[in-house]
Amino acid sequence: MKIYAPAKVNLALDIVGQDERGYHLLDMIMVPISVYDELEISYSDADSILCKEMKIPEVNTMSRMVKLLKETFSIEKSFKIEVVKHIPMEAGLAGGSADAAAVMKAILEMEHISIPIERQIELAKQIGADVPFCLVNRWSRVQGIGEIIRPLDCEWKFKALLVKPAVGISTPVAFKKWHEMEPLKVNVDVVEDCILKKDPISLFQSMENTLEPVARTMEPILEEIKEMMTENGIERVLMSGSGSSMIGFSIDEDILIETKNIMEKKYPFVEIITIG
């Protein structure tokens, strides 16, 4: 069975507290993008994951999802997963989470297991905070530790420029350093309102990511990317998730193309994407 695993970006990310276990409570706007991994899942004599593009750790989000589903639903069969990776790692794009969500969807369908989306989310959050959103895979307001998802009544699509430098950002380290800095507050309500109105200019002005100032202190190259995009006419640059990917926004698609042609000479992943 072939299935696609779309990446996501954050157009707003705020940290609003911590729960009793120490997990950070978030308030975010998340949306799928046109970058995706391709997975081919088939029955096999033993569980295995194959990927030509990069070395995947033996224990990963996909293997953990397979184990969880087999234990939860008493599945005795084994699965071979072949992955073609297009989503950069350590980019704030939920590549591993997207793959885990795709594995869940595929195995449930292959095994003819029908469970409500609420039950799927309950299982998905055991693998990672972004996996529930990757199951829903549409414009959403996401809260809690990632398991409270309210889809938005929005079918908007527009282009943006995605740039990922060679360096990645460690999510745990970014959250730790966030506590050491004066936090940037984000008005997620305003961002949601701009999205529902499909108002790009107001959206570009209101988008914020509270982890971005932290990440820029960790990796100064992010500031360099932001300045380079802005100098080339990009109207707004925003980091996705905990980084290190940076998204450039402009209502002028010619500016996106011109900036891409310049940026791709210097950075390993530069792509014009569709958001939504």
Side-chain angles (χ1 to χ4, degrees), residues 9 13 42 44 51 77 98 102 109 115 140 148 167 175 194 201 214 216 218 234 254 258 261 265 275:
V9 292
L13 191 159
S42 56
S44 181
C51 180
K77 296 167 187 168
E109 184 173 335
I115 56 174
S140 298
I148 302 170
V167 299
F175 276 99
C194 294
I201 302 301
V214 179
R216 292 210 308 266
M218 294 169 63
I234 296 291
D254 288 339
E258 291 165 10
N261 294 337
K265 296 172 185 173
I275 292 180

Side-chain angles (χ1 to χ4, degrees), residues 2 9 19 29 33 60 62 100 106-107 110 117 145 160 169 174 186 203 251:
K2 189 165 187 176
V9 292
D19 66 12
I29 300 290
I33 61 173
N60 56 72
M62 291 175 284
I107 291 178
M110 291 167 71
I117 187 64
I145 62 170
I169 298 287
V186 183
L203 175 63
I251 58 173

Side-chain angles (χ1 to χ4, degrees), residues 1 7 11 14-15 22 38 49-50 82 97 100 129 135 143 148 153 171 177 179 190 198 220 235 253 262-263:
M1 178 179 182
L11 301 189
D14 196 16
I15 300 172
E38 301 172 63
I49 298 174
L50 307 174
E82 297 174 271
S97 296
L135 282 174
Q143 295 172 308
I148 302 170
D153 184 17
T171 300
K177 288 189 174 294
H179 286 279
V190 171
K198 296 184 181 178
E235 294 161 45
E253 288 191 23
I262 294 168
M263 305 289 286

